[in-house]
């Protein structure tokens, strides 16, 4: 009936179905600073597993941004930084641990050792390149728009499309919408629209998801973005690059809350001719680097080489330990090196 599963390795889907069927306690977990795809994929699976009569729990390294609080089940997410003992116990007692939307344990920060120590079988479901080998079953498809798209296909391949209820569908479409910026990037695959159709058939309110997850914000976050663009944006025309830096004082001035700078890094790419954009934010524990590009320019290389991070070719991130100015200087000193990719751009 459905061909949504046709890209998925069927033996992997069969194996995951077997693991789920023989498990009771199942932990679903994702990366630090979770985004719509991380929360959508874990919560989406949580709804499916509940429908199957399992006892799933979503455990995340730190709090999810409040723009995702509309998601069904959001209140039931266990946050490691808030309830460490509960989270540790969940991993200890798990028969199965499903890791979503990250490719290496270090993306879980302090939760990584807890996740790895679990005696449950570990499974990875992810769309980042070159996953580490830390799970017994690795379902990795870097060509997918989002982990949520992959989860949907895996569910279909396991024969559980019928068990996808409205709550599950809402969570999955949210991850697809946030990772593709409402079908404007990473959305060339026609199959994706087939999936959209299936999720709409389940009754999902797409307009509400776009409004809540992408376009609703606080006044102070709107002002922070305006300030960042007018006062903290540097443009390097020769490199076709833009850099935005926000210090902790800047953030404080606009009552910064998690999620408030979501989308900011994309804004400079609206300028004709701009090829890549890098945003640096002074967080309490590190300088968080976020990068976006177009025309196939590999910002993942910059994040990997300079900031110990990675991600996708055109959407990547990393962390820098040092001052904001040092972080900025490191990039500026190395921009010449990456000009070679400009010449290659299509
Ligand atoms: P964002 O800029 O939205 O934080 O992240 C964009 C992409 O880069 C995501 O796919 C995310 O997984 C990846 N990414 C962000 N931060 C890091 C990081 O610190 N390390 C790695 N390896 N990937 C990151
Ligand atoms: Mn993702």
């Amino acid at each position: 009936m459905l061909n949504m599963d046709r890209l998925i390795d069927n033996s992997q889907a069969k194996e995951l179905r077997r693991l789920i069927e023989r498990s009771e306690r199942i932990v679903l977990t994702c990366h630090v600073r979770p985004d719509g795809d991380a929360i959508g994929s874990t919560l989406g699976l949580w709804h499916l597993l509940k429908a199957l009569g399992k006892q799933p729990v979503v455990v995340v390294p730190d709090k999810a941004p409040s723009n995702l609080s509309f998601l069904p089940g959001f209140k039931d997410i266990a946050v490691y930084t808030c309830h460490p003992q509960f989270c540790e116990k969940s991993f200890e007692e798990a028969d199965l641990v499903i890791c979503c939307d990250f490719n290496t344990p270090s993306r879980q920060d302090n939760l990584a050792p807890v996740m790895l120590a679990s005696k449950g079988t570990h499974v990875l479901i992810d769309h980042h390149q070159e996953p580490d080998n830390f799970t017994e079953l690795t379902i990795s498809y870097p060509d997918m728009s989002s982990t949520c798209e992959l989860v949907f296909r895996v569910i279909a391949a396991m024969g559980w499309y019928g068990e996808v209820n409205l709550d599950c569908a809402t969570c999955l479409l949210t991850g697809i919408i946030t990772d593709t910026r409402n079908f404007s990037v990473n959305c060339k695959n026609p199959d994706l629209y087939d999936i959209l159709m299936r999720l709409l058939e389940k009754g999902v309110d797409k307009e509400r998801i776009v409004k809540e997850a992408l376009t609703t914000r606080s006044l102070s976050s709107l002002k922070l973005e305006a300030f960042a663009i007018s006062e903290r944006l540097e443009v390097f025309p020769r490199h076709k690059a833009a850099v935005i830096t926000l210090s902790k004082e800047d953030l404080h001035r606009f009552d910064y809350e998690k999620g408030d700078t979501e989308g900011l890094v994309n804004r400079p790419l609206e300028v004709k001719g701009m090829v890549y954009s890098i945003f640096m934010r002074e967080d309490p524990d590190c300088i968080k680097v976020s990068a976006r590009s177009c025309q196939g320019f590999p910002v993942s290389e910059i994040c990997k080489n300079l900031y110990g991070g990675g991600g996708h070719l055109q959407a990547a991130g990393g962390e820098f330990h040092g001052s904001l100015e040092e972080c900025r200087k490191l990039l500026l000193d190395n921009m010449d090196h990456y000009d070679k990719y400009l010449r290659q751009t299509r």
Side-chain angles (χ1 to χ4, degrees):
M1 192 243 319
L2 287 167
N3 67 355
M4 311 286 51
D5 58 345
R6 67 189 167 83
L7 298 176
I8 303 294
D9 175 344
N10 251 309
S11 63
Q12 287 197 325
K14 235 172 135 178
E15 175 62 6
L16 181 57
R17 181 172 171 136
R18 189 185 70 83
L19 289 170
I20 290 172
E21 279 173 341
R22 67 158 208 209
S23 303
E24 280 310 314
R25 292 166 193 269
I26 303 174
V27 172
L28 303 151
T29 191
C30 65
H31 58 79
V32 72
R33 300 184 203 92
D35 57 5
D37 196 30
I39 297 296
S41 55
T42 48
L43 265 187
L45 280 168
W46 184 77
H47 287 293
L48 176 87
L49 295 172
K50 276 171 65 101
L52 293 169
K54 303 295 174 184
Q55 293 175 41
V57 54
V58 174
V59 177
V60 302
D62 60 343
K63 267 193 191 155
S66 58
N67 67 317
L68 299 173
S69 61
F70 73 99
L71 286 175
F74 185 87
K75 284 194 313 299
D76 293 298
I77 294 174
V79 180
Y80 186 51
T81 49
C82 302
H83 299 104
Q85 278 159 359
F86 176 83
C87 295
E88 282 163 13
K89 193 160 171 281
S90 299
F91 275 104
E92 260 166 48
E93 294 175 350
D95 310 311
L96 183 60
V97 174
I98 305 182
C99 299
C100 297
D101 201 38
F102 64 102
N103 59 357
T104 173
S106 64
R107 290 279 288 141
Q108 289 207 302
D109 275 8
N110 296 336
L111 187 58
V114 181
M115 178 276 287
L116 290 169
S118 174
K119 294 199 177 65
T121 305
H122 292 72
V123 175
L124 179 71
I125 305 182
D126 178 50
H127 72 136
H128 292 90
Q129 285 161 4
E130 298 168 9
D132 280 0
N133 187 12
F134 66 101
T135 49
E136 281 93 329
L137 175 62
T138 302
I139 304 180
S140 165
Y141 287 83
D143 289 340
M144 301 259 169
S145 67
S146 50
T147 299
C148 281
E149 176 188 350
L150 176 55
V151 166
F152 182 89
R153 291 182 192 278
V154 170
I155 291 173
M158 290 190 296
W160 280 329
Y161 174 73
E163 275 67 28
V164 173
N165 56 26
L166 175 57
D167 288 345
C168 173
T170 298
C171 293
L172 296 183
L173 186 56
T174 296
I176 295 175
I177 283 176
T178 55
D179 264 26
T180 64
R181 300 202 66 74
N182 195 17
F183 300 89
S184 62
V185 292
N186 278 329
C187 54
K188 290 201 183 88
N189 186 348
D191 273 9
L192 188 59
Y193 301 87
D194 230 339
I195 294 177
L196 171 62
M197 189 185 78
R198 300 288 176 187
L199 294 172
L200 291 172
E201 278 172 2
K202 296 275 181 184
V204 173
D205 185 346
K206 177 172 181 284
E207 288 171 30
R208 173 159 187 245
I209 294 175
V210 173
K211 180 85 188 127
E212 297 273 3
L214 281 186
T215 61
T216 298
R217 64 194 310 173
S218 65
L219 180 60
S220 55
S221 96
L222 183 66
K223 289 187 175 182
L224 174 60
E225 181 168 302
F227 168 81
I229 293 168
S230 76
E231 306 295 323
R232 297 288 185 260
L233 167 67
E234 295 174 273
V235 173
F236 302 90
R238 192 161 61 82
H239 304 288
K240 303 187 182 199
V243 179
I244 297 174
T245 48
L246 287 176
S247 68
K248 60 175 184 303
E249 291 78 20
D250 294 336
L251 298 169
H252 183 69
R253 180 172 157 196
F254 292 94
D255 300 325
Y256 172 78
E257 280 180 33
K258 245 181 202 166
D260 279 358
T261 56
E262 196 67 47
L264 171 61
V265 65
N266 295 285
R267 299 302 307 271
L269 295 180
E270 293 169 19
V271 177
K272 200 173 161 79
M274 202 72 82
V275 171
Y276 69 103
S277 164
I278 310 240
F279 166 47
M280 301 169 181
R281 186 184 63 221
E282 188 177 8
D283 279 359
D285 51 333
C286 68
I287 308 296
K288 179 67 201 143
V289 177
S290 207
R292 297 290 186 278
S293 67
C294 53
Q295 303 180 11
F297 182 93
V299 277
S300 48
E301 284 298 306
I302 294 182
C303 292
K304 190 166 97 187
N305 300 338
L306 303 182
Y307 303 115
H312 311 284
L313 201 71
Q314 301 195 141
E319 293 178 5
F320 179 79
H321 296 272
S323 72
L324 185 58
E325 185 43 38
E326 286 162 353
C327 183
R328 174 182 168 277
K329 188 162 182 306
L330 181 63
L331 176 65
L332 268 48
D333 288 347
N334 282 280
M335 272 184 173
D336 282 342
H337 175 76
Y338 294 97
D339 283 348
K340 64 183 181 208
Y341 295 113
L342 287 175
R343 287 188 284 277
Q344 282 176 12
T345 52
R346 283 166 260 131

CSV table of all heavy atoms in Angstrom, one decimal, residues 32-33 109 246 248 251 280-289 307 318-324 327:
chain,number,residue,atom,x,y,z
A,32,VAL,N,22.1,17.7,22.9
A,32,VAL,CA,22.0,18.9,23.7
A,32,VAL,C,21.4,20.0,22.9
A,32,VAL,O,21.5,20.0,21.7
A,32,VAL,CB,23.4,19.1,24.3
A,32,VAL,CG1,24.3,19.7,23.2
A,32,VAL,CG2,23.4,20.0,25.5
A,33,ARG,N,20.8,21.0,23.6
A,33,ARG,CA,20.1,22.1,22.9
A,33,ARG,C,19.2,21.6,21.9
A,33,ARG,O,19.3,21.9,20.7
A,33,ARG,CB,21.1,23.1,22.3
A,33,ARG,CG,22.1,23.8,23.2
A,33,ARG,CD,23.0,24.8,22.5
A,33,ARG,NE,24.2,25.0,23.2
A,33,ARG,CZ,25.3,24.3,23.0
A,33,ARG,NH1,25.4,23.4,22.1
A,33,ARG,NH2,26.4,24.6,23.8
A,109,ASP,N,26.7,15.9,25.6
A,109,ASP,CA,27.3,16.5,26.7
A,109,ASP,C,27.4,15.6,27.9
A,109,ASP,O,27.8,14.4,27.8
A,109,ASP,CB,26.6,17.8,27.1
A,109,ASP,CG,27.1,19.0,26.3
A,109,ASP,OD1,27.9,18.8,25.3
A,109,ASP,OD2,26.8,20.2,26.6
A,246,LEU,N,27.2,37.8,19.2
A,246,LEU,CA,26.4,38.3,20.3
A,246,LEU,C,27.1,38.0,21.6
A,246,LEU,O,27.3,36.8,21.9
A,246,LEU,CB,25.0,37.8,20.3
A,246,LEU,CG,24.1,38.3,19.2
A,246,LEU,CD1,22.7,37.6,19.2
A,246,LEU,CD2,23.9,39.9,19.3
A,248,LYS,N,27.5,38.0,25.9
A,248,LYS,CA,26.5,37.8,27.0
A,248,LYS,C,25.8,39.1,27.4
A,248,LYS,O,24.7,39.1,27.8
A,248,LYS,CB,27.2,37.0,28.1
A,248,LYS,CG,28.3,37.6,28.9
A,248,LYS,CD,28.7,36.7,30.0
A,248,LYS,CE,29.8,37.2,30.9
A,248,LYS,NZ,31.0,37.6,30.3
A,251,LEU,N,23.0,39.7,25.0
A,251,LEU,CA,21.9,38.7,25.2
A,251,LEU,C,21.1,39.2,26.5
A,251,LEU,O,19.9,39.2,26.5
A,251,LEU,CB,22.5,37.3,25.4
A,251,LEU,CG,23.2,36.7,24.2
A,251,LEU,CD1,24.0,35.4,24.6
A,251,LEU,CD2,22.3,36.4,23.1
A,280,MET,N,27.9,33.6,16.1
A,280,MET,CA,28.6,33.2,17.4
A,280,MET,C,27.9,33.8,18.6
A,280,MET,O,27.7,35.0,18.6
A,280,MET,CB,30.1,33.7,17.3
A,280,MET,CG,30.8,33.2,16.1
A,280,MET,SD,32.4,34.0,15.9
A,280,MET,CE,33.0,33.1,14.4
A,281,ARG,N,27.5,32.9,19.5
A,281,ARG,CA,26.8,33.4,20.7
A,281,ARG,C,27.5,33.0,22.0
A,281,ARG,O,27.9,31.8,22.1
A,281,ARG,CB,25.4,32.7,20.7
A,281,ARG,CG,24.5,33.3,21.8
A,281,ARG,CD,23.1,32.5,21.8
A,281,ARG,NE,23.4,31.1,22.1
A,281,ARG,CZ,22.8,30.1,21.5
A,281,ARG,NH1,21.9,30.3,20.5
A,281,ARG,NH2,23.0,28.8,21.8
A,282,GLU,N,27.7,34.0,22.8
A,282,GLU,CA,28.5,33.7,24.1
A,282,GLU,C,27.5,33.1,25.1
A,282,GLU,O,26.8,33.8,25.8
A,282,GLU,CB,29.1,35.0,24.6
A,282,GLU,CG,30.0,34.8,25.8
A,282,GLU,CD,30.7,36.1,26.3
A,282,GLU,OE1,30.3,37.2,25.8
A,282,GLU,OE2,31.5,36.0,27.1
A,283,ASP,N,27.5,31.8,25.2
A,283,ASP,CA,26.7,31.0,26.1
A,283,ASP,C,27.5,30.9,27.5
A,283,ASP,O,28.7,31.2,27.5
A,283,ASP,CB,26.4,29.6,25.6
A,283,ASP,CG,25.2,29.6,24.6
A,283,ASP,OD1,24.6,30.7,24.4
A,283,ASP,OD2,24.9,28.6,24.1
A,284,PRO,N,26.8,30.5,28.5
A,284,PRO,CA,27.6,30.4,29.8
A,284,PRO,C,28.8,29.5,29.8
A,284,PRO,O,29.8,29.8,30.3
A,284,PRO,CB,26.5,29.9,30.8
A,284,PRO,CG,25.2,30.3,30.2
A,284,PRO,CD,25.4,30.2,28.7
A,285,ASP,N,28.7,28.4,29.0
A,285,ASP,CA,29.7,27.4,29.0
A,285,ASP,C,30.7,27.4,27.8
A,285,ASP,O,31.7,26.8,27.9
A,285,ASP,CB,29.1,26.0,29.2
A,285,ASP,CG,28.0,25.8,28.1
A,285,ASP,OD1,27.4,26.8,27.7
A,285,ASP,OD2,27.7,24.6,27.7
A,286,CYS,N,30.3,28.1,26.8
A,286,CYS,CA,31.1,28.1,25.6
A,286,CYS,C,30.6,29.1,24.6
A,286,CYS,O,29.6,29.8,24.8
A,286,CYS,CB,31.1,26.7,24.9
A,286,CYS,SG,29.4,26.3,24.1
A,287,ILE,N,31.3,29.3,23.5
A,287,ILE,CA,30.8,30.2,22.4
A,287,ILE,C,30.1,29.2,21.5
A,287,ILE,O,30.8,28.3,21.0
A,287,ILE,CB,31.9,30.9,21.7
A,287,ILE,CG1,32.8,31.7,22.6
A,287,ILE,CG2,31.3,31.8,20.6
A,287,ILE,CD1,32.2,32.8,23.4
A,288,LYS,N,28.8,29.3,21.3
A,288,LYS,CA,28.1,28.4,20.4
A,288,LYS,C,28.2,29.0,19.0
A,288,LYS,O,27.8,30.1,18.8
A,288,LYS,CB,26.6,28.3,20.9
A,288,LYS,CG,25.8,27.5,20.1
A,288,LYS,CD,26.2,26.0,20.1
A,288,LYS,CE,25.7,25.3,18.9
A,288,LYS,NZ,26.6,24.2,18.4
A,289,VAL,N,28.7,28.2,18.1
A,289,VAL,CA,28.8,28.6,16.7
A,289,VAL,C,27.7,27.9,15.9
A,289,VAL,O,27.5,26.7,16.0
A,289,VAL,CB,30.2,28.2,16.2
A,289,VAL,CG1,30.4,28.6,14.7
A,289,VAL,CG2,31.3,28.9,17.0
A,307,TYR,N,36.0,24.5,15.0
A,307,TYR,CA,35.2,24.5,16.2
A,307,TYR,C,34.8,23.2,16.7
A,307,TYR,O,33.8,23.0,17.5
A,307,TYR,CB,33.9,25.4,16.0
A,307,TYR,CG,34.3,26.8,15.6
A,307,TYR,CD1,34.0,27.3,14.3
A,307,TYR,CD2,35.1,27.7,16.4
A,307,TYR,CE1,34.3,28.6,13.9
A,307,TYR,CE2,35.4,28.9,16.1
A,307,TYR,CZ,35.1,29.4,14.8
A,307,TYR,OH,35.4,30.7,14.4
A,318,GLY,N,29.2,24.2,16.0
A,318,GLY,CA,30.3,23.8,16.8
A,318,GLY,C,30.4,24.6,18.1
A,318,GLY,O,29.5,25.4,18.4
A,319,GLU,N,31.4,24.4,18.9
A,319,GLU,CA,31.6,25.1,20.1
A,319,GLU,C,33.0,25.6,20.2
A,319,GLU,O,33.9,24.9,19.7
A,319,GLU,CB,31.4,24.2,21.3
A,319,GLU,CG,29.9,23.7,21.4
A,319,GLU,CD,29.7,22.7,22.6
A,319,GLU,OE1,30.7,22.5,23.4
A,319,GLU,OE2,28.6,22.2,22.8
A,320,PHE,N,33.2,26.7,20.8
A,320,PHE,CA,34.6,27.3,21.0
A,320,PHE,C,34.8,27.6,22.4
A,320,PHE,O,33.9,28.2,23.1
A,320,PHE,CB,34.7,28.6,20.1
A,320,PHE,CG,36.1,29.2,20.3
A,320,PHE,CD1,37.2,28.7,19.6
A,320,PHE,CD2,36.3,30.3,21.1
A,320,PHE,CE1,38.4,29.3,19.7
A,320,PHE,CE2,37.5,30.9,21.2
A,320,PHE,CZ,38.6,30.4,20.5
A,321,HIS,N,35.9,27.2,23.0
A,321,HIS,CA,36.2,27.5,24.4
A,321,HIS,C,37.3,28.6,24.4
A,321,HIS,O,38.4,28.3,24.1
A,321,HIS,CB,36.6,26.2,25.1
A,321,HIS,CG,35.4,25.3,25.2
A,321,HIS,ND1,34.5,25.3,26.2
A,321,HIS,CD2,35.0,24.3,24.3
A,321,HIS,CE1,33.5,24.4,25.9
A,321,HIS,NE2,33.8,23.8,24.7
A,322,GLY,N,36.9,29.8,24.8
A,322,GLY,CA,37.7,30.9,24.8
A,322,GLY,C,36.8,32.1,24.7
A,322,GLY,O,35.6,32.0,24.9
A,323,SER,N,37.4,33.3,24.4
A,323,SER,CA,36.5,34.5,24.3
A,323,SER,C,35.8,34.6,23.0
A,323,SER,O,36.2,34.0,22.0
A,323,SER,CB,37.4,35.7,24.6
A,323,SER,OG,38.2,36.0,23.4
A,324,LEU,N,34.8,35.4,23.0
A,324,LEU,CA,34.0,35.7,21.7
A,324,LEU,C,34.9,36.2,20.7
A,324,LEU,O,34.9,35.9,19.5
A,324,LEU,CB,32.9,36.6,22.1
A,324,LEU,CG,31.9,36.9,20.9
A,324,LEU,CD1,31.2,35.6,20.4
A,324,LEU,CD2,30.8,37.9,21.4
A,327,CYS,N,37.1,33.7,19.2
A,327,CYS,CA,36.3,32.8,18.3
A,327,CYS,C,36.2,33.5,16.9
A,327,CYS,O,36.3,32.9,15.9
A,327,CYS,CB,35.0,32.6,19.0
A,327,CYS,SG,33.9,31.5,18.1
